[in-house]
Amino acid sequence: MYFKGIIVGAAVFLIIGICHPIVIKMEYHWGRQSWWILALAGTIFATLSLFLSNTTLSTISGAASFSCYWGILEIFAQEKRVLRGWFPENPKRADYYARKRKQYIGDGI
């Protein structure tokens, strides 16, 4: 029997599960301008997947890469969720959120 598919599936499940709270914490502490960290991590994982000779590890690395790239979109979406009150905002960045709320008043965030 071959277990590569199950291993890759479990790894992708864990990667997605880990990326979600990372995005929430990144937006909370650093805001949406921290997107470049995920872009850098995604690029590193993509490059790594090109050079790994083990197919399973290469696939997992590629999945991690695109999970990081998806996280970039989620950072921006997370900011909107915070502005809507669905997630707590960082009190140290209250002025930033207040300015954003004024900016988005007509947009219906």
Side-chain angles (χ1 to χ4, degrees):
M1 291 205 301
Y2 297 100
F3 292 99
K4 289 181 182 179
I6 297 296
I7 292 169
V8 169
V12 169
F13 180 75
L14 289 173
I15 289 166
I16 292 169
I18 290 168
C19 282
H20 181 68
I22 287 173
V23 164
I24 293 170
K25 293 292 184 186
M26 286 176 69
E27 195 287 325
Y28 183 84
H29 291 290
W30 302 308
R32 70 178 184 178
Q33 67 270 14
S34 63
W35 67 268
W36 66 269
I37 297 169
L38 290 170
L40 179 63
T43 303
I44 290 170
F45 279 121
T47 303
L48 182 64
S49 74
L50 293 173
F51 291 101
L52 288 172
S53 60
N54 184 308
T55 307
T56 305
L57 292 178
S58 178
T59 304
I60 292 170
S61 182
S65 170
F66 282 89
S67 291
C68 289
Y69 292 145
W70 184 262
I72 294 169
L73 297 173
E74 285 300 311
I75 286 270
F76 290 92
Q78 180 65 19
E79 180 183 74
K80 289 185 180 182
R81 291 188 282 265
V82 170
L83 291 171
R84 289 178 181 137
W86 298 353
F87 282 84
E89 64 181 53
N90 187 341
K92 294 177 183 176
R93 298 176 45 235
D95 293 339
Y96 171 80
Y97 291 120
R99 277 185 274 122
K100 280 294 184 182
R101 281 191 185 92
K102 286 180 185 177
Q103 178 184 353
Y104 285 132
I105 287 287
D107 297 341
I109 47 175

